Amino acid sequence: EADIYQTPRYLVIGTGKKITLECSQTMGHDKMYWYQQDPGMELHLIHYSYGVNSTEKGDLSSESTVSRIRTEHFPLTLESARPSHTSQYLCASSTSGANVLTFGAGSRLTVL
Amino acid sequence: GENVEQHPSTLSVQEGDSAVIKCTYSDSASNYFPWYKQELGKGPQLIIDIRSNVGEKKDQRIAVTLNKTAKHFSLHITETQPEDSAVYFCAASDHDYKLSFGAGTTVTVRA
């Protein structure tokens, strides 16, 4: 049973469009993360949040933005998508004081 | 920051044989080392983890070993089965709990 949900699973859009990738978790976890994963490469942390109204940029620079208005919700937004944004985006969460991550199934974004 | 290297990038084994994946890390302060398994079309899932105060941990057919002096850790899968085919990621956690991942190993178990 998935406790962390990502939508859409697949998205194909044109250059310049604004997109939002949704991520919700039902476990009450304080910490949430967004990772970018390209084929054959490691997961790169692009954003994380340790609680409501807390967001930080990760190790990999990204033009996306995130918000954390509610504990269970951590959406990622791209204001103007470009082909270089084509990738898989994975959302994850964990409890405070622990770093055991629970991942969503991912959102695969293709920008034409 | 932490740098994790993982080898090999691909691994093909005969069903029933063992598979070993090795990782090295750079930050001596890292103290948590999980392994994740990612099946096609799914997100990574934690399969086993080890903390720096332990040298080895087993869970049925999988085991992880840690050598803090050499800064490397390994995943061992015995009696491999077709359902073990997946991408496996190692990771290390630095002082602020963020995980740094290796590049992944694609394991294929041949029937």
Side-chain angles (χ1 to χ4, degrees), chain A residues 48-61:
Chain A
Y48 62 99
S49 167
Y50 284 171
V52 171
N53 294 326
S54 154
T55 61
E56 301 287 345
K57 289 190 177 295
D59 303 321
L60 181 68
S61 176

Side-chain angles (χ1 to χ4, degrees), chain A residues 92-103:
Chain A
S93 69
S94 67
T95 58
S96 291
N99 37 20
V100 176
L101 300 183
T102 300
F103 281 90

Side-chain angles (χ1 to χ4, degrees), chain B:
Chain B
E2 176 66 273
N3 181 46
V4 178
E5 295 191 357
Q6 182 172 347
H7 301 278
S9 57
T10 61
L11 180 60
S12 179
V13 296
Q14 189 69 38
E15 183 177 357
D17 288 350
S18 295
V20 180
I21 304 170
K22 298 181 179 181
C23 289
T24 61
Y25 61 99
S26 60
D27 187 350
S28 56
S30 289
N31 58 8
Y32 175 65
F33 308 91
W35 287 87
Y36 285 81
K37 175 184 181 182
Q38 186 174 23
E39 297 176 331
L40 200 61
K42 298 182 179 180
Q45 184 175 16
L46 178 72
I47 54 171
I48 194 167
D49 57 9
I50 192 168
R51 298 191 182 273
S52 59
N53 58 347
V54 176
E56 183 177 1
K57 184 176 178 181
K58 282 186 178 180
D59 183 3
Q60 298 182 6
R61 294 187 298 106
I62 59 173
V64 56
T65 58
L66 171 64
N67 184 327
K68 283 219 73 180
T69 303
K71 289 191 282 188
H72 67 70
F73 55 113
S74 300
L75 177 72
H76 303 253
I77 307 173
T78 59
E79 301 173 26
T80 52
Q81 300 170 5
E83 54 263 38
D84 295 329
S85 295
V87 180
Y88 292 81
F89 292 94
C90 63
S93 177
D94 59 14
H95 61 280
D96 62 355
Y97 302 109
K98 294 199 303 274
L99 286 177
S100 295
F101 286 85
T105 297
T106 301
V107 174
T108 303
V109 179
R110 306 187 307 272

Side-chain angles (χ1 to χ4, degrees), chain A residues 8 12 36 61 91:
Chain A
V12 181
Q36 184 172 335
S61 176
C91 181

Side-chain angles (χ1 to χ4, degrees), chain A residues 39-95:
Chain A
M41 297 181 69
E42 63 262 45
L43 292 79
H44 290 288
L45 182 66
I46 52 175
H47 298 284
Y48 62 99
S49 167
Y50 284 171
V52 171
N53 294 326
S54 154
T55 61
E56 301 287 345
K57 289 190 177 295
D59 303 321
L60 181 68
S61 176
S62 175
E63 295 169 345
S64 59
T65 59
V66 292
S67 62
R68 189 88 183 276
I69 299 172
R70 302 198 315 266
T71 298
E72 63 272 19
H73 195 214
F74 191 42
L76 180 147
T77 299
L78 275 167
E79 289 293 332
S80 180
R82 296 205 303 267
S84 61
H85 297 139
T86 295
S87 188
Q88 167 142 275
Y89 294 85
L90 289 163
C91 181
S93 69
S94 67
T95 58

